[in-house]
Protein backbone atom coordinates (compact mmCIF):
# COMPACT_ATOMS: atom_id res chain seq x y z
CA UNK A 1 0.00 0.00 0.00
CA UNK A 2 2.83 2.45 0.83
CA UNK A 3 4.42 1.94 -2.57
CA UNK A 4 1.48 3.32 -4.52
CA UNK A 5 1.25 6.83 -5.94
CA UNK A 6 0.41 9.61 -3.49
CA UNK A 7 -1.89 12.35 -4.76
CA UNK A 8 -2.21 15.79 -3.16
CA UNK A 9 -5.47 17.55 -4.01
CA UNK A 10 -7.55 20.47 -2.79
CA UNK A 11 -10.33 19.41 -0.40
CA UNK A 12 -12.77 21.49 -2.51
CA UNK A 13 -12.41 18.83 -5.22
CA UNK A 14 -12.81 16.04 -2.65
CA UNK A 15 -15.76 16.96 -0.39
CA UNK A 16 -16.37 13.28 0.38
CA UNK A 17 -13.33 13.44 2.71
CA UNK A 18 -14.41 16.52 4.71
CA UNK A 19 -15.87 14.60 7.63
CA UNK A 20 -12.78 12.38 7.95
CA UNK A 21 -10.31 15.28 7.99
CA UNK A 22 -12.55 17.36 10.26
CA UNK A 23 -12.57 14.53 12.82
CA UNK A 24 -8.77 14.26 12.64
CA UNK A 25 -8.28 18.00 13.10
CA UNK A 26 -10.89 18.25 15.85
CA UNK A 27 -9.39 15.34 17.79
CA UNK A 28 -5.80 16.50 17.31
CA UNK A 29 -6.15 20.26 17.78
CA UNK A 30 -9.49 20.85 19.55
CA UNK A 31 -8.36 20.51 23.18
CA UNK A 32 -8.84 23.63 25.26
CA UNK A 33 -11.05 25.30 22.68
CA UNK A 34 -14.63 24.92 23.97
CA UNK A 35 -16.13 26.95 21.10
CA UNK A 36 -14.63 24.61 18.48
CA UNK A 37 -17.07 21.72 18.17
CA UNK A 38 -16.80 18.97 15.56
CA UNK A 39 -19.69 20.59 13.69
CA UNK A 40 -17.81 23.90 13.68
CA UNK A 41 -14.72 22.21 12.19
CA UNK A 42 -16.78 20.38 9.54
CA UNK A 43 -18.38 23.68 8.51
CA UNK A 44 -14.98 25.36 8.29
CA UNK A 45 -13.76 22.64 5.90
CA UNK A 46 -16.91 23.04 3.81
CA UNK A 47 -15.95 26.70 3.32
CA UNK A 48 -12.45 26.10 1.95
CA UNK A 49 -11.44 27.80 -1.31
CA UNK A 50 -9.65 26.77 -4.51
CA UNK A 51 -7.51 29.84 -5.16
CA UNK A 52 -7.51 31.90 -1.98
CA UNK A 53 -7.28 31.31 1.77
CA UNK A 54 -8.47 29.34 3.61
CA UNK A 55 -7.30 26.35 1.58
CA UNK A 56 -6.89 22.71 2.57
CA UNK A 57 -5.13 19.89 0.76
CA UNK A 58 -5.49 16.19 1.32
CA UNK A 59 -3.08 13.37 0.60
CA UNK A 60 -4.71 10.35 -1.05
CA UNK A 61 -3.20 6.94 -1.49
CA UNK A 62 -5.17 4.40 -3.54
CA UNK A 63 -8.19 6.71 -3.19
CA UNK A 64 -7.99 6.69 0.61
CA UNK A 65 -7.52 10.00 2.41
CA UNK A 66 -4.36 9.66 4.51
CA UNK A 67 -3.48 13.24 5.48
CA UNK A 68 -4.50 16.89 5.49
CA UNK A 69 -2.91 20.34 5.69
CA UNK A 70 -4.31 23.87 5.49
CA UNK A 71 -3.23 27.41 4.69
CA UNK A 72 -4.82 30.32 6.56
CA UNK A 73 -4.38 34.09 6.43
CA UNK A 74 -3.87 33.82 10.16
CA UNK A 75 -3.65 30.93 12.64
CA UNK A 76 -2.76 32.98 15.70
CA UNK A 77 -5.08 35.85 16.64
CA UNK A 78 -2.38 37.42 18.81
CA UNK A 79 -0.15 37.86 15.71
CA UNK A 80 -2.45 39.38 13.04
CA UNK A 81 0.50 40.95 11.19
CA UNK A 82 1.92 37.54 10.16
CA UNK A 83 0.59 35.84 7.03
CA UNK A 84 0.13 33.21 5.57
CA UNK A 85 0.11 30.24 7.95
CA UNK A 86 0.61 26.53 7.42
CA UNK A 87 -1.94 24.90 9.74
CA UNK A 88 -3.61 21.68 10.78
CA UNK A 89 -1.06 19.20 9.44
CA UNK A 90 -2.25 15.69 10.22
CA UNK A 91 -1.33 12.28 8.79
CA UNK A 92 -3.33 9.14 9.62
CA UNK A 93 -1.30 7.16 12.17
CA UNK A 94 -1.19 4.09 9.90
CA UNK A 95 0.62 6.11 7.20
CA UNK A 96 3.13 8.04 9.31
CA UNK A 97 6.83 7.71 8.58
CA UNK A 98 6.32 7.52 4.80
CA UNK A 99 7.10 11.17 3.98
CA UNK A 100 3.45 12.18 3.54
CA UNK A 101 3.70 15.13 5.95
CA UNK A 102 6.68 16.51 4.04
CA UNK A 103 4.83 16.21 0.73
CA UNK A 104 1.86 18.09 2.20
CA UNK A 105 4.18 20.79 3.57
CA UNK A 106 5.87 21.09 0.16
CA UNK A 107 2.45 21.58 -1.45
CA UNK A 108 1.70 24.47 0.91
CA UNK A 109 5.12 26.01 0.18
CA UNK A 110 4.55 25.64 -3.57
CA UNK A 111 1.10 27.28 -3.38
CA UNK A 112 2.28 30.17 -1.20
CA UNK A 113 5.28 30.81 -3.47
CA UNK A 114 3.03 30.82 -6.54
CA UNK A 115 0.85 33.43 -4.81
CA UNK A 116 3.89 35.69 -4.32
CA UNK A 117 4.56 35.15 -0.62
CA UNK A 118 8.16 35.20 0.57
CA UNK A 119 7.59 33.78 4.07
CA UNK A 120 5.34 31.21 5.66
CA UNK A 121 4.45 30.84 9.33
CA UNK A 122 3.24 28.04 11.59
CA UNK A 123 2.51 27.41 15.22
CA UNK A 124 2.94 24.21 17.14
CA UNK A 125 2.43 23.06 20.68
CA UNK A 126 4.19 19.67 20.47
CA UNK A 127 6.24 19.25 17.28
CA UNK A 128 8.88 22.00 17.37
CA UNK A 129 11.75 19.56 16.72
CA UNK A 130 10.05 18.20 13.61
CA UNK A 131 10.00 21.67 12.05
CA UNK A 132 13.47 22.68 13.28
CA UNK A 133 14.93 19.61 11.56
CA UNK A 134 13.25 20.73 8.32
CA UNK A 135 14.75 24.20 8.28
CA UNK A 136 11.99 26.21 9.94
CA UNK A 137 13.26 29.12 12.06
CA UNK A 138 11.92 29.52 15.60
CA UNK A 139 10.56 33.03 16.19
CA UNK A 140 9.08 32.92 19.69
CA UNK A 141 7.13 31.16 22.38
CA UNK A 142 3.80 32.89 23.00
CA UNK A 143 0.20 32.30 24.08
CA UNK A 144 -2.84 32.11 21.84
CA UNK A 145 -6.32 33.51 22.43
CA UNK A 146 -7.08 30.47 24.63
CA UNK A 147 -3.98 31.08 26.80
CA UNK A 148 -2.41 27.95 25.28
CA UNK A 149 1.40 28.09 24.98
CA UNK A 150 2.58 27.75 21.39
CA UNK A 151 5.83 28.05 19.44
CA UNK A 152 5.88 30.20 16.30
CA UNK A 153 8.12 29.34 13.35
CA UNK A 154 8.79 30.85 9.94
CA UNK A 155 10.32 29.64 6.69
CA UNK A 156 11.74 31.71 3.86
CA UNK A 157 10.17 30.70 0.57
Amino acid sequence: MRGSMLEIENIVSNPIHIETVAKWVFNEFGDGKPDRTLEYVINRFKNRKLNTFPMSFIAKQDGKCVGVISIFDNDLETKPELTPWLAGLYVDETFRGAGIAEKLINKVIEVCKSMGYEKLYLRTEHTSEYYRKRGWKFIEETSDEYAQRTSVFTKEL
Side-chain angles (χ1 to χ4, degrees), residues 6 8 52 86 107 112 118 127 132:
L6 185 75
I8 310 263
T52 187
L86 178 156
K107 178 65 174 180
C112 290
E118 296 177 2
T127 55
R132 277 191 175 100

Side-chain angles (χ1 to χ4, degrees), residues 16-54:
I16 191 169
H17 299 294
I18 286 176
E19 195 166 318
T20 298
V21 299
K23 284 178 183 174
W24 288 340
V25 168
F26 175 75
N27 291 332
E28 188 70 19
F29 305 109
D31 277 354
K33 299 172 183 168
D35 59 332
R36 306 270 171 105
T37 63
L38 177 56
E39 184 178 337
Y40 172 87
V41 177
I42 289 170
N43 287 330
R44 294 284 304 243
F45 275 104
K46 286 180 179 176
N47 289 315
R48 294 302 197 250
K49 310 287 186 223
L50 269 176
N51 300 309
T52 187
F53 308 140

